[in-house]
Amino acid sequence: MADVTSGAVAVGSPVSQATYLKDYRPPDFFIDRTDLEFDLFNDKTTVNAHLTLRRNAAVDAAPDLILAGENLHLVSVAINNIIQPTDSYQVNHQQLVIASPPDQFILSIVTEIDPANNLSLEGLYLSDGMYCTQCEAQGFRRITYYLDRPDVLSVFTTKITADLGQYPVLLSNGNLDSQGLADDGRHWAKWIDPFKKPAYLFALVAGDLAMVEDSFTTVSGRQVALKIYVESKDLNKCDHAMQSLKNAMQWDEKVYGREYDLDLYMIVAVDFFNMGAMENKGLNIFNTSCVLANPLTQTDMAFQRVEAVVAHEYFHNWSGNRVTCRDWFQLSLKEGFTVFRDASFSADMNSATVKRVEDVSLLRSAQFAEDGGPMSHPIRPESYIEISNFYTLTIYEKGAEVIRMMHQFLGADKFRAGSDLYFDRHDGEAATCEDFIVAMENASGYDLGQFRRWYSQAGTPVLDAEGDWDQQRGCYTLKIQQSCPATPGQDQKLPFSMPVKVALVADSGLLAASCNSLSAQLLDGNEFLLSLTDSEQQWQFTGLSEKPVASLLRGFSAPVKLNFHYQPQDLLQLIDADNDGFIRWDASQRYALQLVQKHLTGEQMIDSAAGQQAVKALGLSLSQLLQQGLSGRGWDLSFDAALTAEIIRLPSYAYLIEQFDSVDIHAISEAIECLQISLSAQLKSVMVDCYQQLRQQLESLGEYQPLADHVALRSLKNTCLAFLLRSLDSSLLHLAETQFDLANNMTDQSSALSALVNCPLENAEAAAQQRVDRFYQQWSSESLVVNQWLTVQAASDKPGALGRVRALMDHEAYDNTNPNKVRALIAGFCMRNITQFHAQDGSGYELLSSEVIRLNTLNPQLASRLLSPLTQWQRFKTPQSELMQASLQRIADTENLSADVFEVVTKSLVAS
Ligand code: TRP
Ligand code: ZN
């Protein structure tokens, strides 16, 4: 009986059930061909799917064929062209079951869908009048009934018919086969993708789009057409994405020996998108925020994000598409590896050190929080309720760190041999994380037996390190203990195998030493790679000429928390004398953290002599650092200006919160403010000098360019500006006003706006408000710039933020169904305005939970992601923790919870 609920179908089943890795079974049927026909009309779309099915002889298959489907209206089912009576199949809100079909047959299914009312942005939907799709992970089942799982690979053909006037451009995966006119002012196009792929890589686009075209000649001499499709008003924002794409194609040939396979590579920019971008075969679909880049409208940060995301999606063509995932538990197989690949690419294109600092900074704040919270999971999870909830920092960023550790253990050459073997062995297949590890082992001869625990154990390992100096023998002994806290479902952990890179540092730089342990390898330049495998290990470094400071976990060689009792002067020495940029930055963060910790236990930074002394010492160090870069004619480029900016920046709230077991957010905020005020007073004059010199130097470089060196100079200049505007010196206000008024690029304009909006001086308020208004008038037609405008205001920690956010929710520029807008304003407030989000009265939590409840049925993926700050409730002191818990409970009590939100709230509340 064709009992199909149509229209507003309830999202999620009433009882959300978990799926387990241990239950994995190969598919009962294969789909050799998938021939699709889409008839697009504004009020409904008809999908005609012809599936060439074949029973999987290798498994003891169930007799019935069970296809997944959601929010579909089933019209008809035919087997080998014969329409089936409705009693020969069963259909409910998530499945179509065909009883005992033949071993080989063609199944034709006609369904109707309603893209215009699809706000979930999964399946086929309308974004600003343009049809587009998002099928990863399980969106294809919202298009037609299918074996919607990544281990079913099929050759797809797609015929699209639509109105010629409204939708002149019709795109799908692969190559254009043919096109023509149809009746009633309609036209059609047929696309063929010769490469077998799972349904999650399917894509379709129909719209009135403009296009920028270029080409790339591959190593073997094939010409590939590169096309970027955007709205015509955005044609002037495509150059950077195009250049990034060409750079990525070349880089993948050089570094991984991977060549592109189709004759065409397309990118389409859409404004309504749940994530950054999607690697659909030959037809990537991108959030506009990850493609469009123009100096006037996008910041340096946005330029770098575009470069990274374009490369990420391109790299997926091999790590994801040619070799895909067997099941969604293997998600990190493609995501961790691809993030590792895009990070290496970005490091090669820009400042490698700063890229590392940025990545580590994200990992240590947000990923560590996730790994220590109720949603903690290994990079290869064992179960999920809703797979969309597992597109996490753990899968992506920690997953990339795990690949990076393999790279360190094996070395670049053997790692490359391993990746070659992996791609060759599994090309055209759906693989597992285990397949990847085995390929690495086979190609290198390296035993990754114990290393595999990174795939199965969740939680952030903790290293407790101690050093002992024997002056007489010139010997430094390093002892490291490792442990890992319990995580949901995993009480006991076994020791991990990890690379710990160390060096011994003195005033003169890195000291020469020897170490005769089998688990220590001397690298070039007096660095050692230690292999930590036991719960406790020690190493002796001999032949040292003077007492060293230990430089541990260089380059952040493993994703762990490192405890080591550094004396303040040791940290200053590392900032000054180490040659590892990550360590220098980390040392400044640790120093600031120590100040905050001492402030909280009574050694106040302003009121106590010892506290003042300690701040002064840091200020002196930073001041020297800035002075070294200042030279007669401008900033000396041998002093990485971007790294300097990172070193002088104070630690983020997200990082600080991670360092306390029980967080008193308002006490931390007070400490950070004291530090900010004291440091900016002390550094004022050197920062004004730096600011002026950098400004002049940039001016002399001429027109804006997103080149690494220029980006670095702007970064340091604007970091100085932010500092200066917090120094309570009203004579400095004009610096930001002038910069805003004269800016010829968005990096400078928005930095100045942000500095003004966050300036604590009373007489800054009018100047700030005036420019907030002018900024909107200038950019109201640029959607992405308006998003920045929303975020700058939402993130301002001046009193009254909640009221400002509520007012902006009613602003004409705001659209509460557009994820970019919701993220800019709501997530901007909840994640970048920590003190006001955690307001004593719980009003911040109230706002967030209301938005989550509103979005729950409209866009479950967005609702669930937005919710994440509340999942950290147990880390906070009362009353914060109770108020956060109550907000979660309020969400949990809501009717019709989506599986997405249900999973996150219930797991967060259970773990109490
Ligand atoms: N595979 C995409 C990427 O990493 C991720 C992605 C894009 C996604 N859109 C999504 C995942 C929607 C889940 C839902 O590049
Ligand atoms: Zn990806």
Side-chain angles (χ1 to χ4, degrees):
M1 15 114 250
D3 163 39
V4 168
T5 337
S6 61
V9 178
V11 281
S13 46
V15 187
S16 297
Q17 288 193 351
T19 306
Y20 294 88
L21 170 58
K22 65 174 163 51
D23 293 342
Y24 173 81
R25 284 172 15 100
D28 290 337
F29 288 83
F30 295 118
I31 308 179
D32 293 320
R33 285 183 61 99
T34 301
D35 298 294
L36 302 170
E37 291 161 24
F38 289 83
D39 229 343
L40 306 177
F41 288 98
N42 291 342
D43 58 344
K44 73 164 183 236
T45 286
T46 306
V47 183
N48 213 317
H50 306 278
L51 314 179
T52 306
L53 282 138
R54 169 170 56 93
R55 204 178 281 274
N56 182 356
V59 298
D60 189 13
D64 297 347
L65 170 64
I66 304 174
L67 302 169
E70 262 174 46
N71 281 29
L72 299 171
H73 178 75
L74 180 62
V75 177
S76 68
V77 175
I79 290 181
N80 295 329
N81 278 324
I82 299 167
I83 294 281
Q84 300 296 297
T86 52
D87 61 2
S88 71
Y89 53 87
Q90 285 196 335
V91 63
N92 65 27
H93 67 284
Q94 49 188 18
Q95 284 180 342
L96 168 63
V97 181
I98 298 181
S100 304
D103 287 349
Q104 283 195 23
F105 63 108
I106 294 181
L107 178 65
S108 302
I109 303 171
V110 178
T111 49
E112 284 173 2
I113 50 181
D114 186 6
N117 288 309
N118 178 1
L119 294 177
S120 72
L121 316 187
E122 296 174 78
L124 180 65
Y125 64 94
L126 273 177
S127 168
D128 259 345
M130 164 199 334
Y131 286 95
C132 63
T133 52
Q134 173 55 41
C135 294
E136 187 177 5
Q138 300 184 325
F140 193 76
R141 63 187 62 185
R142 291 163 175 266
I143 293 174
T144 187
Y145 291 96
Y146 203 76
L147 292 174
D148 190 7
R149 43 187 290 168
D151 58 352
V152 171
L153 283 76
S154 187
V155 168
F156 281 70
T157 73
T158 310
K159 184 180 173 192
I160 312 163
T161 307
D163 185 82
L164 174 61
Q166 271 190 75
Y167 310 104
V169 175
L170 306 175
L171 310 173
S172 190
N173 317 83
N175 300 310
L176 181 63
D177 172 73
S178 50
Q179 55 189 328
L181 292 175
D183 295 342
D184 303 325
R186 294 168 69 76
H187 70 144
W188 60 270
K190 184 178 173 187
W191 292 80
I192 301 180
D193 180 0
F195 292 94
K196 281 186 143 204
K197 65 169 177 288
Y200 83 87
L201 291 171
F202 170 79
L204 174 157
V205 168
D208 186 0
L209 294 162
M211 187 259 286
V212 174
E213 183 165 10
D214 203 333
S215 78
F216 179 82
T217 307
T218 69
V219 261
S220 71
R222 275 189 316 102
Q223 264 232 342
V224 181
L226 312 176
K227 301 185 180 181
I228 300 181
Y229 289 89
V230 296
E231 283 182 46
S232 60
K233 68 173 174 58
D234 291 324
L235 275 174
N236 61 346
K237 303 190 187 74
C238 299
D239 292 356
H240 184 64
M242 187 65 89
Q243 188 56 52
S244 301
L245 176 59
K246 290 193 282 184
N247 292 345
M249 293 177 89
Q250 197 163 41
W251 188 91
D252 212 19
E253 289 181 348
K254 198 179 109 217
V255 181
Y256 281 85
R258 297 293 122 195
E259 187 178 346
Y260 187 61
D261 45 15
L262 289 161
D263 300 328
L264 174 62
Y265 193 91
M266 297 178 281
I267 290 177
V268 179
V270 304
D271 209 35
F272 284 65
F273 203 69
N274 277 338
M275 307 269 282
M278 180 63 211
E279 69 264 23
N280 317 300
K281 183 81 188 188
L283 179 56
N284 290 179
I285 297 182
F286 272 61
N287 190 320
T288 43
S289 70
C290 296
V291 194
L292 305 180
N294 178 295
L296 288 177
T297 47
Q298 270 69 45
T299 61
D300 289 335
M301 239 172 39
F303 270 77
Q304 289 184 343
R305 173 130 175 94
V306 167
E307 178 182 70
V309 178
V310 166
H312 178 97
E313 306 312 329
Y314 175 73
F315 296 152
H316 268 317
N317 191 55
W318 275 96
S319 48
N321 301 1
R322 290 288 288 253
V323 182
T324 192
C325 299
R326 187 192 72 172
D327 54 74
W328 293 120
F329 299 102
Q330 318 296 327
L331 182 58
S332 198
L333 174 67
K334 75 175 176 82
E335 296 305 345
F337 186 26
T338 304
V339 171
F340 173 73
R341 277 150 57 68
D342 84 58
S344 318
F345 167 76
S346 291
D348 284 353
M349 297 290 137
N350 307 287
S351 160
T353 311
V354 172
K355 171 64 179 158
R356 189 69 192 138
V357 166
E358 286 166 359
D359 288 350
V360 174
S361 181
L362 176 68
L363 196 83
R364 284 214 295 215
S365 49
Q367 194 279 324
F368 281 13
E370 184 174 278
D371 227 350
M375 285 295 287
S376 175
H377 52 279
I379 63 166
R380 183 183 54 211
E382 250 127 55
S383 76
Y384 58 75
I385 292 176
E386 171 52 62
I387 185 57
S388 301
N389 285 328
F390 286 78
Y391 286 75
T392 58
L393 291 162
T394 299
I395 302 290
Y396 278 67
E397 309 302 323
K398 186 180 182 179
E401 293 297 320
V402 170
I403 304 293
R404 189 173 185 273
M405 286 191 284
M406 282 192 228
H407 188 275
Q408 289 177 88
F409 271 141
L410 269 57
D413 293 345
K414 286 183 174 159
F415 182 88
R416 167 65 193 273
S419 79
D420 284 352
L421 182 59
Y422 167 73
F423 287 129
D424 290 352
R425 202 179 258 178
H426 299 291
D427 190 9
E429 290 179 6
T432 61
C433 296
E434 180 62 20
D435 292 330
F436 184 89
I437 303 168
V438 169
M440 285 290 158
E441 283 184 322
N442 291 171
S444 68
Y446 196 97
D447 179 1
L448 292 165
Q450 185 189 352
F451 187 82
R452 282 170 170 76
R453 287 178 192 157
W454 285 104
Y455 283 86
S456 55
Q457 298 189 139
T460 307
V462 178
L463 304 190
D464 289 292
E466 275 171 40
D468 185 57
W469 170 240
D470 182 337
Q471 174 79 38
Q472 221 127 55
R473 292 173 48 222
C475 173
Y476 187 86
T477 305
L478 176 68
K479 186 169 102 184
I480 303 182
Q481 291 179 299
Q482 64 161 308
S483 61
C484 182
T487 50
Q490 295 185 339
D491 291 341
Q492 301 292 326
K493 314 285 168 120
L494 295 167
F496 291 88
S497 150
M498 68 182 85
V500 180
K501 219 193 241 185
V502 307
L504 300 161
V505 175
D507 280 339
S508 54
L510 268 54
L511 297 174
S514 48
C515 178
N516 55 15
S517 160
L518 284 176
S519 59
Q521 185 195 344
L522 180 61
L523 308 172
D524 290 341
N526 296 333
E527 280 189 307
F528 290 90
L529 188 67
L530 308 181
S531 166
L532 177 66
T533 50
D534 301 347
S535 40
E536 185 176 323
Q537 253 169 284
Q538 74 179 39
W539 294 268
Q540 290 198 336
F541 299 91
T542 53
L544 287 156
S545 51
E546 58 183 298
K547 182 181 179 187
V549 175
S551 169
L552 302 174
L553 213 66
R554 293 166 68 77
F556 200 62
S557 58
V560 299
K561 291 183 185 167
L562 170 68
N563 296 322
F564 186 83
H565 288 288
Y566 280 111
Q567 294 303 310
Q569 65 272 21
D570 294 346
L571 293 172
L572 297 179
Q573 177 156 19
L574 290 175
I575 297 177
D576 190 47
D578 205 324
N579 62 359
D580 182 307
F582 159 75
I583 295 285
R584 298 176 64 207
W585 167 75
D586 183 51
S588 78
Q589 298 267 303
R590 282 177 191 266
Y591 194 105
L593 172 64
Q594 285 187 0
L595 290 174
V596 170
Q597 282 165 334
K598 284 187 189 152
H599 188 90
L600 296 189
T601 52
E603 193 180 303
Q604 304 249 320
M605 283 181 260
I606 290 178
D607 300 330
S608 91
Q612 284 178 16
Q613 217 31 55
V615 177
K616 257 218 174 94
L618 175 64
L620 202 65
S621 224
L622 299 182
S623 159
Q624 274 164 9
L625 186 64
L626 288 168
Q627 243 133 26
Q628 282 166 23
L630 278 171
S631 68
R633 265 166 298 128
W635 185 265
D636 180 345
L637 286 179
S638 63
F639 291 94
D640 186 339
L643 178 63
T644 308
E646 296 293 341
I647 293 173
I648 62 177
R649 215 167 280 156
L650 300 181
S652 69
Y653 279 108
Y655 171 73
L656 292 171
I657 286 172
E658 263 302 292
Q659 314 305 317
F660 294 88
D661 291 330
S662 177
V663 176
D664 180 344
I665 192 66
H666 299 288
I668 291 178
S669 156
E670 197 223 79
I672 273 290
E673 232 152 77
C674 285
L675 180 57
Q676 178 81 61
I677 291 170
S678 319
L679 268 186
S680 42
Q682 193 185 341
L683 294 172
K684 195 160 64 185
S685 85
V686 65
M687 280 194 171
V688 169
D689 289 350
C690 274
Y691 178 81
Q692 296 295 11
Q693 211 184 58
L694 289 161
R695 194 180 54 73
Q696 281 162 19
Q697 191 172 356
L698 278 157
E699 230 159 64
S700 73
L701 288 170
E703 214 178 294
Y704 173 96
Q705 283 178 283
L707 297 173
D709 280 349
H710 299 199
V711 171
L713 298 178
R714 275 190 292 275
S715 167
L716 182 57
K717 173 178 68 99
N718 289 325
T719 302
C720 289
L721 183 67
F723 248 92
L724 291 170
L725 273 261
R726 286 191 179 247
S727 69
L728 302 182
D729 179 345
S730 56
S731 75
L732 297 171
L733 203 56
H734 76 279
L735 293 178
E737 292 174 303
T738 311
Q739 175 167 322
F740 183 95
D741 297 346
L742 301 180
N744 63 359
N745 65 78
M746 185 46 70
T747 307
D748 284 345
Q749 195 181 6
S750 69
S751 303
L753 185 65
S754 169
L756 282 168
V757 161
N758 286 296
C759 177
L761 292 166
E762 238 173 72
N763 58 344
E765 247 150 64
Q769 191 54 48
Q770 194 199 14
R771 281 159 185 92
V772 166
D773 296 341
R774 264 166 47 198
F775 189 94
Y776 181 71
Q777 281 156 23
Q778 186 180 358
W779 298 118
S780 59
S781 64
E782 292 284 347
S783 180
L784 293 173
V785 185
V786 170
N787 297 347
Q788 290 189 60
W789 178 75
L790 293 170
T791 301
V792 167
Q793 295 175 80
S796 160
D797 58 8
K798 304 213 13 204
L802 187 86
R804 289 195 298 276
V805 170
R806 287 208 182 276
L808 286 168
M809 288 167 76
D810 292 326
H811 194 277
E812 57 167 15
Y814 191 65
D815 175 350
N816 69 13
T817 65
N818 182 324
N820 285 354
K821 296 271 179 270
V822 175
R823 279 187 287 255
L825 186 60
I826 309 297
F829 174 68
C830 300
M831 304 175 76
R832 300 196 202 198
N833 199 340
I834 297 300
T835 51
Q836 312 241 348
F837 171 61
H838 290 286
Q840 300 284 7
D841 60 359
S843 52
Y845 312 144
E846 178 75 25
L847 173 82
L848 179 55
S849 51
S850 302
E851 280 304 282
V852 170
I853 291 167
R854 181 182 67 76
L855 286 162
N856 165 55
T857 46
L858 303 179
N859 186 336
Q861 288 187 357
L862 179 60
S864 164
R865 286 183 173 273
L866 212 55
L867 160 59
S868 78
L870 290 175
T871 65
Q872 297 293 315
W873 65 276
Q874 288 176 92
R875 301 194 56 87
F876 290 84
K877 282 216 163 92
T878 53
Q880 258 58 42
S881 59
E882 275 91 5
L883 291 166
M884 291 169 89
Q885 188 188 18
S887 286
L888 279 171
Q889 191 59 53
R890 188 179 151 221
I891 300 170
D893 293 342
T894 306
E895 269 175 47
N896 272 325
L897 271 198
S898 60
D900 309 59
V901 174
F902 172 83
E903 178 170 33
V904 178
V905 271
T906 48
K907 288 184 175 172
S908 303
L909 286 169
V910 152
S912 47

